[in-house]
Every structure is written in C-alpha cells, then in structure tokens.
Amino acid sequence: MNRLATATRAPEPDAPPVLDLVCERVVLRVRRRLAWVRHLEQVEGDPLARLGLDLPAHEARFYAASDELAGLQRRLAAVEAELDTCLLQDAWDNPLRHLVLALGLDSGELELLQTCVAVERTPALAAALQRLTGIPGVTEELVRHLFGRSLTPLLRPLGALRHWRLVSERDAGPGVPAVLQLDPQVTGWLIGQVPVPAELAAVVTRPVLREPLASWPVRQVLDGLVDSLDAGVSVRLVVAGQPGSGRRSFAAAVFHALEFASFVVDVAALGDADPGERCRLVVRHARVLNAIPIWHLPAEARALPAAAAEFGLAAVVCAAHDRPAPVDGVVDLRVDLPAPDLAERAALWRRLVPTARTWPEEHVLQVSRRYALPIGDLAAVGLRRPASVDAAAELCRERSRHRLGELGHVLRCPFELADLVVPAKLRDHLAEFVFEARDRAEFWERPEARRLYPRGTGLVALFTGPAGTGKTMAAQVLAAQLGQDLVRIDLATIVSKYIGETAKNLRKIFSVAAGMSAVLLFDEADALFARRTDVRDSHDRHANSDTNYLLQLLEDFAGVAVLASNKKANIDPAFIRRIRHVLDFPRPDAAARRQIWQQVLSELGAEVSPAALDTLGGVDLSGAQIKNAVLAATFVARSERRPLAVGHLVRGLERELDKDGRALERRDRERLVAHV
C-alpha cells in the first residue's frame, strides 16, 4: 500500500498537469476501492451475503461514513474538481479536453481511458489491480466499480473507443474477463506528442509548403471554403491537375491561410487488405493533430474509402480529367489547377533551379518556352544543378522519358531538316508548323486569342502518305528542332475490343503526356479514325465515341501531337476537317529518289558515279526502301571485305524489289552493271 500511496504523480517532471491529475485520480479511486474490499472481507456471515453488499450505493455510504478515508475523499474531490476545470478550458491548451472533443468521448469512455492511461504510467497499480480483480490489468468491470457505474457497457461496439481503436481487448483465458490495452499513442497525445502511427508511416507525408503562384486561385477558394464552413456545411476541396503541378502544395497553402496544418495521404499506399481501417486511423490522426487530410487519389480511382468522409473539411487531389465520386452530405469545391504562364515558368526556373540564375536571360526564356515542366519535376531538375541550358534540356526530357511505359516508346531524333527530301511546298508547311510550335506559348497567353479560340491550345498535325515516304522522319526532325523527345504511340495496340478500355488507355496517355517534354506521334491513326458509314452494334457506337473522345483529348492537350496514317482515304473526312495541319507525303519522284540515294551513300562514305545515281533514282522506291537497300548492300560488302560498290547496291536493290514481287528491269540492270 505504501508504494501505491506514493505513486500519485507521473514520473516525468515535464508531464502536463492534466496527466498528473488523471493518474492521481485513478490511484486514489483504486486505494479507496481496496479499503471497501477489505471492509467486505470483514463482514461476518455467508460469502454470498457479502456479495450482495457490493453495490454502488452501499459503497458510497461506506466512503461517506469512514473517518479513515476522509482525507483521501477530500483529496479525490479536489483532484476531480481540478480535472473538471481542465475539461472546461480551451481545447487547444488542454490535450485531454481536445481528445474528448476531437474523438467524441462520453463520460464513461473517458473514465475507462483515464484508467488505462494511469495503469500504463503507474506500474505500482498492477499489484493493487491483482488484489481487486485477480488480474494485473484493466477490465471493464474494474472501471465500473472504480467509478460507481451500472452494468451499462463502456466499451460499446459503436462507441468512440472501439471506433477510433483507442482501446483494444486481449483475451486473458477461458472464463476470465478480457484485459483492456491502451493504444500507445494516447499517452503521447496527452503529453503533447502526435507522431504518425507506425501503420501509416508509408501512407502519410508532409506537403511542401511553397509560395502560391500568382495564377493560383487561392483567394477565391478561401472565400468559398469560409462561406461553406460558416453555413455549417461539410466541404471537400477537390484539386485537379497534372502530376507534379503543385496540387498538394496548393491545398496546403489554402489550409495554411485558414491556420490549419495539413498532411498528404497516399490512397494507393493504403493497400487492399483493410483500407477502411487504415483510413480511419488517418482520420483519427487528423482529428487529434487538428490538421486537414489531403487525400492523393491515384489516376483512374474515383472513390475514397467510406471512413474518409468522417471529417468535416478535407481535400482530394486527382488527375485533370478525374472526378471523385460524390459523398452524401458533403459539398465539393473543385479547382482545376491552371498551368503556370510563361512569366511564372521563367520565375520558377530562377527560383527552383539555382544555377539558372547565372544564365543569360534568353536562355531562361528558351527553356521556359520549350519545357512546360510541372513544378515537382522542375524542383527535381534544380537538385541536379545543371551547368548549362543544354544540360538542363536533357534533364527535362529525362524526367518524363519513360512514364508512358508500354503505351509509348521514345524514338531517337538524329535528323535535321536538310536530311528530309520532300517537295518544297511540304517543306514550307513543316517549317510553319515548327514555328507555330515554338511561338504558340506567348500567343496563347493573350486573352483575345483564348477568347476567339476556346477549344484548346494544343498543336496537332496529320501526316498522311504511303509507307516509307518520311512521315516518321519528319516527326523526328520536328522533335529535334523543338528540343523535345518524340514518343511513338501505336494506336493499333491501344484500340481494344472491350468497351471502355480504349478510352481508358487514351485518358492515361494524355494525362501522363501533359507533364512530359515530348512530341506525341500516333502511328496508324486510321485504326481509330476509320470511316463508319453505319452503326451495326454497341461496339460500333463505342468506337465512334472513342474517336470523339480522342478528338476532345487532342483539343485539350497543351502539347504537340502528330497523327500518322498510310491510308488517308480510310480516315473519316469529318475528323480531317477538325485538324488545322494536314501534310501529305507523296512517294518521291525520280529527282527526289536520286537525292536520297546520294545523301545516304555520301553519309556512309561511298562514291557512286552520277550516271549510276541517275539509274538508281529511276527505280520506283520509297525513301525507306532506298535506305533499306543501301543497308543490305553495306553488309554484303562487309561480308566480302570490300568497299561498297554498285554491284552491292544492285543486290540490295533486288532484295527490296523482291518484297513487292517486282524485279529490276533488264535495261536498268545493264546500266548499273556497266558501272561495276
């Protein structure tokens, strides 16, 4: 008893007074209960009669009449009065009151929680509990006896203690009451420590609190949130945008302006085992921390676990085209986060890339125009400290090069405009397209331009023509001149027979591509834009729907996209009319073929007479077929360990013609053989 009599204060000297009071209250009630049990043991007669005397009313009369307990009773009354006063203080200055209000504990649940806290912090109580119940731990029956409660359950299935997992039950054996165990975090909360629970270590992170961009609608959102909260309406801030665009930072900035802390919840990291339970822990952590959760919804996901709705104010960040499922009784305030304009991008380069502050102004403007990187990617580039604008350009492309996975493949772009042998009219059109791609960033920032052309700022071209006429090469030249990667997307692999899958693939492509420094090349575009004169079944209807959806995505896409097709006649004219740049690549004529032969052979260091070049140019081949013929001839020459000569070119040429079921005309063969 002496050890218990002195164990009325928490051992830590810097513990909050309220925690000292909780421990002392429970210790005093345990000491008082021990006196009552000893009194019962002294009652003469049948033990069953003594059992009948262990009633709250009898116990209360005993305490009132006992002179030995008078001092204890006075101290207990003082401690509990002080605790009551604490529970009336400002919640933010009192961790116990904050806990009660944040998690909705009633008086019985609070008494049970206090008992568990005191037993955890006062080891001397274990022997006393063993004396009272035969178990060296807290049971529900013990708490009812200590606080004179009836048989009403304290640990109810729908009560706050179970719901928030503050107290759990441990089986103590057959016929023995369950022992109650306190969540270790509760004691930490009462001394002002709110660490992230171990179960949420991979789920919860702190947002980066950055200075909001001038174009971010922070003030409008604040006004909307305040109006809703003043009206007593639960509100959810939905921030949509591209990955890395600052969605989490925007939400954190809004809540910071409201004087709330916040933290980010990676919904994908909740896992599949029991996301609802972990989600409830997230909400509990938010309530205790007095912080706002920012739920980061993965792409294509629409619904949060139901437990996420148990918070009156929250934020959800999602992809630009996603719309989280609505929640009953919660009003969504949606913000489509705008991309930074050219001036903001230049300022971000100087702020987030320290080395850029020493570059000439025109270099900063150059990378700002070319690479509309999301803020997160730009910050990552800054950490690499690129020494020059060329090094920065490579890092920009590297950040997003492989994000499309199997849906897109990066093509090397080693060609220049001089390598492309096409008619002058087509070359001029390509030059105009390149100019627009470079100049459009400034043009589309003009309000009058956006008002007159509201359907989108993206730049799309359709390259049509037979196979091997230079469509892919032209796209490579275009990407090289823009200083961007070229990502080839084969629509034939994206179009699915399963309803809805094609749209899903397209949405993923454009969602990821919006944050990439790349030109998109959609190969075999006729796979999706073929003519459909009649609609026979639901698959035809959905195919038409997918076509319209791709058109919408192209119009909303802020980057550069090229559609390539070998079969213009198969493409719906209604689609062609909606594309401003339609470039036709014809099969090369004799003069163009001669030039291609000459360029390829010169690059490989082979010398061929002008007469042989005239003859080679007279054979009807595409540019790609000519390059293939030269490649085949090169390896024939290498196998013979001889320089590349006309005889080798004849063999390479014949291989290409064989593929088409053709043969080299005798007259052409004789002319070429004459030059061997």
Side-chain angles (χ1 to χ4, degrees):
M1 177 63 71
N2 290 336
R3 289 178 59 203
L4 185 59
T6 58
T8 58
R9 290 286 175 180
E12 290 84 358
D14 57 345
V18 67
L19 194 55
D20 291 347
L21 293 172
V22 166
C23 293
E24 185 174 2
R25 179 193 193 191
V26 174
V27 167
L28 291 172
R29 283 187 171 270
V30 169
R31 288 174 55 192
R32 194 177 67 170
R33 175 71 181 171
L34 283 171
W36 168 245
V37 170
R38 285 196 303 272
H39 169 71
L40 289 180
E41 291 173 347
Q42 296 170 4
V43 174
E44 296 181 356
D46 186 29
L48 292 177
R50 293 202 305 271
L51 242 168
L53 294 175
D54 191 10
L55 298 173
H58 295 174
E59 188 175 359
R61 285 196 293 271
F62 169 75
Y63 295 150
S66 174
D67 293 334
E68 294 182 3
L69 297 177
L72 186 150
Q73 286 283 88
R74 287 193 297 272
R75 179 55 190 165
L76 178 60
V79 168
E80 294 190 334
E82 195 172 349
L83 264 177
D84 289 341
T85 301
C86 286
L87 289 175
L88 294 176
Q89 293 174 353
D90 190 334
W92 313 125
D93 297 330
N94 187 315
L96 183 61
R97 174 171 168 77
H98 172 58
L99 190 63
V100 171
L101 295 178
L103 301 182
L105 301 175
D106 63 26
S107 59
E109 291 173 325
L110 178 58
E111 290 166 355
L112 190 150
L113 192 73
Q114 289 179 343
T115 305
C116 292
V117 169
V119 170
E120 181 178 293
R121 293 178 60 83
T122 313
L125 276 173
L129 300 188
Q130 179 81 41
R131 174 82 172 83
L132 289 176
T133 64
I135 301 172
V138 180
T139 65
E140 193 170 347
E141 180 184 9
L142 169 71
V143 177
R144 285 201 299 269
H145 282 306
L146 289 180
F147 292 91
R149 293 238 166 222
S150 64
L151 296 179
T152 302
L154 301 177
L155 195 61
R156 300 183 302 279
L158 299 179
L161 293 178
R162 281 192 189 276
H163 181 77
W164 298 117
R165 219 176 74 178
L166 303 178
V167 174
S168 58
E169 293 178 295
R170 177 173 57 84
D171 187 8
V176 179
V179 175
L180 305 181
Q181 290 187 311
L182 184 71
D183 186 309
Q185 287 223 312
V186 174
T187 303
W189 296 340
L190 294 179
I191 61 175
Q193 299 175 357
V194 190
V196 175
E199 302 96 317
L200 302 180
V203 177
V204 170
T205 56
R206 282 191 169 202
V208 178
L209 193 60
R210 294 190 175 98
E211 180 182 350
L213 299 183
S215 60
W216 283 1
V218 175
R219 174 49 53 189
Q220 299 93 308
V221 171
L222 279 174
D223 292 342
L225 286 177
V226 170
D227 290 344
S228 296
L229 294 173
D230 287 347
V233 176
S234 294
V235 62
R236 184 174 67 170
L237 174 62
V238 178
V239 186
Q242 302 303 328
S245 59
R247 297 167 297 175
R248 293 171 294 184
S249 296
F250 175 83
V254 169
F255 295 139
H256 181 72
L258 290 172
E259 300 184 352
F260 280 112
S262 60
F263 59 84
V264 178
V265 186
D266 184 356
V267 175
L270 287 174
D272 298 327
D274 191 359
E277 181 64 24
R278 300 181 83 187
C279 187
R280 186 170 290 113
L281 283 179
V282 169
V283 177
R284 186 187 80 170
H285 183 64
R287 287 174 176 266
V288 175
L289 188 62
N290 192 36
I292 310 299
I294 302 171
W295 303 90
H296 189 174
L297 203 61
E300 306 298 334
R302 292 196 67 246
L304 290 169
E310 299 183 33
F311 208 83
L313 175 61
V316 176
V317 298
C318 62
H321 299 286
D322 288 346
R323 293 196 172 273
V327 178
D328 290 341
V330 178
V331 173
D332 278 350
L333 178 58
R334 183 181 176 93
V335 178
D336 290 293
L337 205 60
D341 60 25
L342 187 58
E344 285 178 322
R345 291 208 299 270
L348 285 170
W349 269 93
R350 297 187 191 95
R351 191 172 88 191
L352 300 178
V353 185
T355 51
R357 299 166 194 163
T358 63
W359 299 348
E361 181 68 17
E362 61 269 20
H363 286 185
V364 176
L365 292 176
Q366 176 184 327
V367 291
S368 301
R369 291 190 187 97
R370 285 187 176 182
Y371 308 108
L373 284 185
I375 297 174
D377 282 348
L378 190 53
V381 169
L383 293 176
R384 302 280 293 274
R385 304 184 70 82
S388 67
V389 67
D390 290 336
E394 177 57 29
L395 289 175
C396 289
R397 296 193 295 270
E398 182 185 297
R399 284 296 303 171
S400 58
R401 185 162 284 159
H402 303 292
R403 285 180 180 169
L404 281 172
E406 293 300 316
L407 294 176
H409 303 278
V410 177
L411 298 182
R412 291 179 61 247
C413 298
F415 303 116
E416 300 176 357
L417 189 59
D419 296 319
L420 198 60
V421 180
V422 294
K425 182 179 179 180
L426 178 57
R427 182 184 294 272
D428 291 343
H429 197 164
L430 278 170
E432 293 167 1
F433 187 80
V434 170
F435 175 81
E436 182 175 339
R438 287 174 172 167
D439 186 64
R440 65 198 181 92
E442 294 182 11
F443 176 78
W444 288 116
E445 287 186 4
R446 297 168 57 184
E448 60 272 19
R450 293 197 300 270
R451 187 182 72 82
L452 287 171
Y453 302 99
R455 297 183 66 179
T457 61
L459 183 58
V460 182
L462 173 63
F463 289 179
T464 66
T469 52
K471 298 186 296 297
T472 300
M473 188 176 181
Q476 291 170 300
V477 170
L478 166 65
Q481 295 212 334
L482 295 178
Q484 297 185 343
D485 284 336
L486 179 66
V487 180
R488 179 167 60 191
I489 296 166
D490 189 351
L491 279 175
T493 64
I494 292 171
V495 176
S496 172
K497 65 180 179 180
Y498 299 105
I499 292 174
E501 283 299 309
T502 300
K504 180 179 178 181
N505 291 336
L506 292 172
R507 184 164 57 248
K508 179 179 179 181
I509 287 170
F510 281 94
S511 177
V512 175
M516 296 177 64
S517 300
V519 175
L520 298 185
L521 172 62
F522 289 86
D523 218 355
E524 300 185 27
D526 45 286
L528 194 59
F529 296 111
R531 298 170 183 262
R532 288 184 175 85
T533 56
D534 58 350
V535 177
R536 295 184 297 273
D537 56 25
S538 61
H539 286 87
D540 286 336
R541 284 194 296 274
H542 280 278
N544 285 333
S545 176
D546 291 335
T547 299
N548 293 331
Y549 186 54
L550 177 54
L551 285 171
Q552 177 188 333
L553 291 172
L554 285 169
E555 288 171 349
D556 293 340
F557 181 52
V560 178
V562 174
L563 306 172
S565 172
N566 299 339
K567 303 171 184 177
K568 181 179 180 181
N570 289 355
I571 299 179
D572 191 333
F575 164 69
I576 295 179
R577 286 194 294 270
R578 295 176 66 175
I579 300 294
R580 286 196 301 113
H581 294 275
V582 179
L583 290 76
D584 290 314
F585 288 73
R587 285 184 70 87
D589 58 17
R593 291 194 295 267
R594 186 188 191 282
Q595 184 179 349
I596 295 171
W597 280 104
Q598 185 175 24
Q599 284 187 190
V600 175
L601 290 170
S602 298
E603 185 113 1
L604 293 175
E607 294 184 5
V608 178
S609 68
L613 285 174
D614 290 342
T615 303
L616 290 170
V619 181
D620 184 14
L621 294 175
S622 69
Q625 287 175 314
I626 293 172
K627 292 179 68 175
N628 286 338
V630 174
L631 185 62
T634 300
F635 279 98
V636 171
R638 289 174 64 86
S639 70
E640 296 177 355
R641 299 184 182 279
R642 297 172 60 187
L644 181 63
V646 173
H648 303 124
L649 294 176
V650 170
R651 293 169 67 178
L653 180 58
E654 287 178 328
R655 289 186 186 179
E656 283 302 308
L657 291 173
D658 285 343
K659 296 177 186 178
D660 291 341
R662 296 187 291 158
L664 186 62
E665 292 186 9
R666 186 180 65 178
R667 183 180 56 182
D668 291 334
R669 170 184 282 278
E670 290 174 350
R671 288 177 179 174
L672 290 171
V673 169
H675 297 287
V676 174

